[in-house]
């Protein structure tokens, strides 16, 4: 399949907000997993200080990240990941999307969060603990369009605490970066 850059989510305000949070959160030498790396900009920057692995379901995004020298697994979320990580970073598809709004291309995987905007986030929450090292943290970017209380409750029900570490107003939505840790 030839690489098509128009099928890769390009960095936007959400990417840069998550990158800012990741810069503050990562510690030298940590094992980091970026789920849904897209263009690979976050993974590439963190690779200067940490051991980074990335995943993306989109073959075009995987090629883009590989060109940046990122160790990438083409996978749906954590599929095929057997190791554990100190820090997991995820900018999920969070836009509420009705079936008739779907565009049926690879870029849609970066945008379509299902009717609530939380479909992929629910799958992520159920499996994240499997690859999170003891004492590890997750940075998750979400939008007010996705429902902040609902997302926090979803993770609480999956045994995580959450705190907002960064917030930014973008046009008609608020973007949040949550730090999630296992409840003890």
């Amino acid at each position: 399949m030839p690489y098509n850059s128009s099928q890769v989510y390009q960095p936007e305000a959400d990417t840069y907000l998550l990158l800012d949070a990741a810069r503050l959160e990562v510690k030298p030498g940590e094992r980091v997993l970026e789920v849904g790396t897209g263009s690979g900009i976050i993974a590439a920057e963190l690779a200067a200080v940490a051991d980074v692995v990335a995943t993306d379901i989109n073959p075009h995004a995987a090629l883009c990240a590989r060109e940046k020298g990122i160790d990438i697994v083409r996978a749906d979320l954590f599929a095929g990941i057997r190791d554990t990580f100190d820090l997991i970073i995820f900018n999920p598809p969070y836009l509420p999307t009705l079936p008739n709004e779907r565009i049926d291309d690879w870029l849609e995987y970066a945008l379509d969060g299902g009717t609530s905007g939380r479909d992929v986030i629910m799958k992520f929450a159920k499996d994240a603990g499997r690859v999170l090292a003891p004492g590890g943290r997750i940075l998750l970017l979400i939008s007010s369009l996705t429902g902040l209380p609902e997302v926090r409750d979803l993770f609480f029900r999956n045994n995580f605490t959450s705190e907002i570490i960064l917030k930014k107003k973008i046009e008609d939505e608020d973007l949040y970066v949550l730090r999630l840790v296992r409840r003890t």
Side-chain angles (χ1 to χ4, degrees):
M1 168 190 316
Y3 171 65
N4 182 345
S5 63
S6 72
Q7 293 296 304
V8 178
Y9 184 76
Q10 296 304 307
E12 296 283 345
D14 55 350
T15 309
Y16 293 113
L17 184 64
L18 187 56
L19 177 58
D20 288 345
R23 285 177 181 139
L24 296 170
E25 189 72 25
V26 70
K27 297 176 182 125
E30 283 191 314
R31 293 205 23 92
V32 177
L33 175 65
E34 184 183 15
V35 176
T37 194
S39 71
I41 187 173
I42 295 174
E45 182 161 328
L46 296 184
V49 297
D51 180 16
V52 179
V53 174
T55 69
D56 206 300
I57 195 170
N58 178 341
H60 302 283
L63 287 170
C64 183
R66 189 164 287 125
E67 287 177 359
K68 289 181 172 71
I70 297 166
D71 184 9
I72 183 150
V73 177
R74 182 169 170 232
D76 186 5
L77 300 176
F78 306 108
I81 302 296
R82 302 285 175 249
D83 211 345
T84 59
F85 297 85
D86 304 301
L87 180 62
I88 299 172
I89 300 166
F90 189 30
N91 182 357
Y94 57 73
L95 294 176
T97 308
L98 297 173
N100 66 328
E101 296 172 321
R102 294 198 168 103
I103 51 179
D104 196 31
D105 66 2
W106 284 109
L107 186 57
E108 184 171 52
Y109 283 93
L111 305 171
D112 181 355
T115 55
S116 69
R118 295 184 293 277
D119 289 3
V120 177
I121 296 169
M122 283 189 262
K123 285 176 55 178
F124 176 90
K126 289 178 183 171
D127 204 23
R130 179 179 65 78
V131 297
L132 187 64
R137 297 101 51 224
I138 297 170
L139 296 181
L140 178 75
L141 186 127
I142 65 163
S143 163
S144 54
L145 301 174
T146 311
L148 177 63
E150 292 85 354
V151 171
R152 292 181 84 174
D153 182 61
L154 170 66
F155 279 93
F156 184 81
R157 287 184 277 121
N158 281 279
N159 204 35
F160 287 93
T161 62
S162 64
E163 69 175 303
I164 299 167
I165 61 169
L166 286 179
K167 177 182 174 183
K168 185 172 188 172
K169 179 96 172 144
I170 303 292
E171 296 176 19
D172 60 345
E173 66 181 311
D174 291 317
L175 298 175
Y176 303 94
V177 177
L178 299 178
R179 180 189 298 124
L180 305 155
V181 296
R182 279 194 187 96
R183 286 199 318 263
T184 54

